[in-house]
Protein backbone atom coordinates (compact mmCIF):
# COMPACT_ATOMS: atom_id res chain seq x y z
CA UNK A 1 0.00 0.00 0.00
CA UNK A 2 1.08 3.51 -0.71
CA UNK A 3 -1.04 5.26 1.91
CA UNK A 4 0.28 8.00 4.13
CA UNK A 5 -1.61 8.97 7.29
CA UNK A 6 -0.83 12.28 8.89
CA UNK A 7 -2.29 14.66 11.45
CA UNK A 8 -4.27 17.51 9.95
CA UNK A 9 -2.38 20.77 9.64
CA UNK A 10 -3.63 24.32 10.10
CA UNK A 11 -3.78 24.81 6.32
CA UNK A 12 -5.81 21.66 5.53
CA UNK A 13 -9.18 23.13 6.52
CA UNK A 14 -8.99 25.99 4.01
CA UNK A 15 -6.97 24.31 1.28
CA UNK A 16 -8.58 20.84 1.22
CA UNK A 17 -11.45 20.06 3.58
CA UNK A 18 -13.72 23.05 2.89
CA UNK A 19 -13.62 22.27 -0.82
CA UNK A 20 -14.45 18.61 -0.21
CA UNK A 21 -17.53 19.48 1.88
CA UNK A 22 -18.71 21.92 -0.79
CA UNK A 23 -18.06 19.34 -3.57
CA UNK A 24 -20.40 16.93 -1.75
CA UNK A 25 -23.05 19.66 -1.33
CA UNK A 26 -22.49 20.38 2.37
CA UNK A 27 -21.80 23.61 4.17
CA UNK A 28 -18.41 23.14 5.84
CA UNK A 29 -18.60 23.05 9.63
CA UNK A 30 -17.08 26.12 11.19
CA UNK A 31 -13.45 25.55 12.03
CA UNK A 32 -13.99 26.36 15.70
CA UNK A 33 -16.51 23.51 16.00
CA UNK A 34 -13.94 20.93 14.93
CA UNK A 35 -11.53 19.33 17.40
CA UNK A 36 -8.43 21.45 17.99
CA UNK A 37 -9.76 24.14 15.67
CA UNK A 38 -9.63 21.84 12.64
CA UNK A 39 -6.41 20.04 13.53
CA UNK A 40 -7.83 17.29 15.75
CA UNK A 41 -7.99 14.62 13.12
CA UNK A 42 -6.13 12.87 10.36
CA UNK A 43 -5.93 12.86 6.60
CA UNK A 44 -5.12 9.85 4.43
CA UNK A 45 -3.17 10.32 1.21
CA UNK A 46 -2.55 7.94 -1.69
CA UNK A 47 0.73 8.68 -3.44
CA UNK A 48 0.59 12.28 -2.12
CA UNK A 49 -3.03 12.80 -3.24
CA UNK A 50 -5.40 13.56 -0.33
CA UNK A 51 -8.15 10.91 -0.28
CA UNK A 52 -10.14 11.34 2.93
CA UNK A 53 -10.06 12.76 6.43
CA UNK A 54 -11.86 12.58 9.75
CA UNK A 55 -11.89 13.93 13.28
CA UNK A 56 -11.78 12.58 16.81
CA UNK A 57 -13.77 14.43 19.45
CA UNK A 58 -12.51 13.69 22.94
CA UNK A 59 -14.76 14.00 25.97
CA UNK A 60 -14.36 14.04 29.74
CA UNK A 61 -16.08 10.65 29.89
CA UNK A 62 -15.19 7.22 28.53
CA UNK A 63 -16.77 8.07 25.15
CA UNK A 64 -15.04 9.56 22.11
CA UNK A 65 -16.61 10.50 18.79
CA UNK A 66 -15.30 9.73 15.31
CA UNK A 67 -16.94 12.35 13.13
CA UNK A 68 -16.87 14.47 10.00
CA UNK A 69 -15.50 11.74 7.75
CA UNK A 70 -15.09 13.41 4.37
CA UNK A 71 -13.50 12.36 1.10
CA UNK A 72 -12.09 13.80 -2.07
CA UNK A 73 -15.01 13.47 -4.52
CA UNK A 74 -12.59 13.55 -7.46
CA UNK A 75 -10.45 10.63 -6.24
CA UNK A 76 -11.96 7.66 -8.06
CA UNK A 77 -9.52 4.76 -7.60
CA UNK A 78 -12.07 2.27 -6.23
CA UNK A 79 -10.12 -0.02 -3.94
CA UNK A 80 -7.89 2.80 -2.71
CA UNK A 81 -10.84 5.09 -1.96
CA UNK A 82 -12.64 2.39 0.05
CA UNK A 83 -9.43 1.33 1.80
CA UNK A 84 -8.59 4.96 2.60
CA UNK A 85 -11.95 5.53 4.27
CA UNK A 86 -11.51 2.31 6.22
CA UNK A 87 -8.03 3.49 7.27
CA UNK A 88 -9.34 6.85 8.53
CA UNK A 89 -12.03 5.19 10.64
CA UNK A 90 -9.74 2.46 11.96
CA UNK A 91 -6.91 4.89 12.79
CA UNK A 92 -9.17 7.31 14.66
CA UNK A 93 -10.74 4.37 16.52
CA UNK A 94 -7.29 3.07 17.45
CA UNK A 95 -6.24 6.52 18.69
CA UNK A 96 -9.33 6.64 20.91
CA UNK A 97 -8.62 3.17 22.27
CA UNK A 98 -4.96 4.02 22.92
CA UNK A 99 -6.07 7.12 24.84
CA UNK A 100 -8.19 4.96 27.13
CA UNK A 101 -11.67 5.55 25.76
CA UNK A 102 -14.05 2.61 26.19
CA UNK A 103 -16.71 3.54 23.62
CA UNK A 104 -16.45 5.24 20.25
CA UNK A 105 -19.56 6.82 18.78
CA UNK A 106 -20.29 8.08 15.29
CA UNK A 107 -23.36 9.43 13.61
CA UNK A 108 -24.06 9.60 9.88
CA UNK A 109 -26.77 8.80 7.38
CA UNK A 110 -24.64 7.63 4.46
CA UNK A 111 -25.17 3.90 3.86
CA UNK A 112 -21.73 3.34 2.33
CA UNK A 113 -20.00 5.13 5.18
CA UNK A 114 -22.11 3.24 7.72
CA UNK A 115 -20.98 -0.01 6.14
CA UNK A 116 -17.34 1.06 6.48
CA UNK A 117 -17.91 1.47 10.22
CA UNK A 118 -19.74 -1.87 10.49
CA UNK A 119 -16.92 -3.61 8.60
CA UNK A 120 -14.47 -2.76 11.38
CA UNK A 121 -16.75 -3.79 14.23
CA UNK A 122 -19.08 -0.87 14.93
CA UNK A 123 -22.69 -1.76 15.71
CA UNK A 124 -25.67 0.08 14.27
CA UNK A 125 -27.80 1.76 16.90
CA UNK A 126 -31.29 3.08 16.53
CA UNK A 127 -32.34 5.23 13.60
CA UNK A 128 -31.89 8.70 15.04
CA UNK A 129 -32.48 12.23 13.90
CA UNK A 130 -29.69 14.72 14.37
CA UNK A 131 -30.76 17.75 16.36
CA UNK A 132 -28.42 20.72 16.05
CA UNK A 133 -28.68 24.34 17.11
CA UNK A 134 -26.12 26.91 16.10
CA UNK A 135 -25.59 29.45 18.87
Amino acid sequence: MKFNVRVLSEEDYDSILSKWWKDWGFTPPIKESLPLNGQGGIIVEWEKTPVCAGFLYETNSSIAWVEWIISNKNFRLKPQRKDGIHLVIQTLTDVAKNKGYKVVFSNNNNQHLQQSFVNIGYLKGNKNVELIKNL
Side-chain angles (χ1 to χ4, degrees):
M1 287 195 322
K2 299 177 184 176
F3 284 112
N4 178 53
V5 178
R6 65 173 175 82
V7 174
L8 288 164
S9 71
E10 186 174 348
E11 298 79 28
D12 289 330
Y13 178 86
D14 291 321
S15 65
I16 299 171
L17 302 179
S18 289
K19 179 184 180 320
W20 287 357
W21 277 305
K22 290 174 188 173
D23 287 348
W24 285 108
F26 297 107
T27 301
I30 58 173
K31 198 173 187 181
E32 295 82 6
S33 71
L34 297 169
L36 298 175
N37 204 31
Q39 295 178 64
I42 60 167
I43 191 163
V44 171
E45 300 166 334
W46 175 261
E47 296 182 349
K48 299 186 181 182
T49 299
V51 176
C52 52
F55 293 87
L56 180 68
Y57 284 87
E58 297 187 55
T59 71
N60 62 356
S61 70
S62 63
I63 299 173
W65 280 34
V66 171
E67 286 295 337
W68 294 110
I69 306 299
I70 188 70
S71 66
N72 179 348
K73 190 174 185 178
N74 298 312
F75 185 84
R76 291 293 173 196
L77 298 176
K78 293 260 180 176
Q80 291 87 350
R81 179 185 182 77
K82 184 177 179 181
D83 291 347
I85 291 170
H86 172 95
L87 185 56
V88 163
I89 297 167
Q90 186 65 63
T91 301
L92 291 170
T93 302
D94 291 344
V95 168
K97 182 178 181 179
N98 291 338
K99 289 186 170 204
Y101 291 97
K102 304 296 181 202
V103 177
V104 183
F105 177 87
S106 188
N107 188 26
N108 73 74
N109 60 3
N110 179 295
Q111 288 181 344
H112 296 290
L113 188 54
Q114 288 174 9
Q115 192 58 50
S116 294
F117 278 91
V118 168
N119 288 346
I120 62 168
Y122 280 69
L123 302 173
K124 284 190 178 184
N126 296 328
K127 292 183 179 181
N128 294 320
V129 174
E130 294 175 359
L131 301 167
I132 300 169
K133 180 175 178 81
N134 289 324
L135 303 177

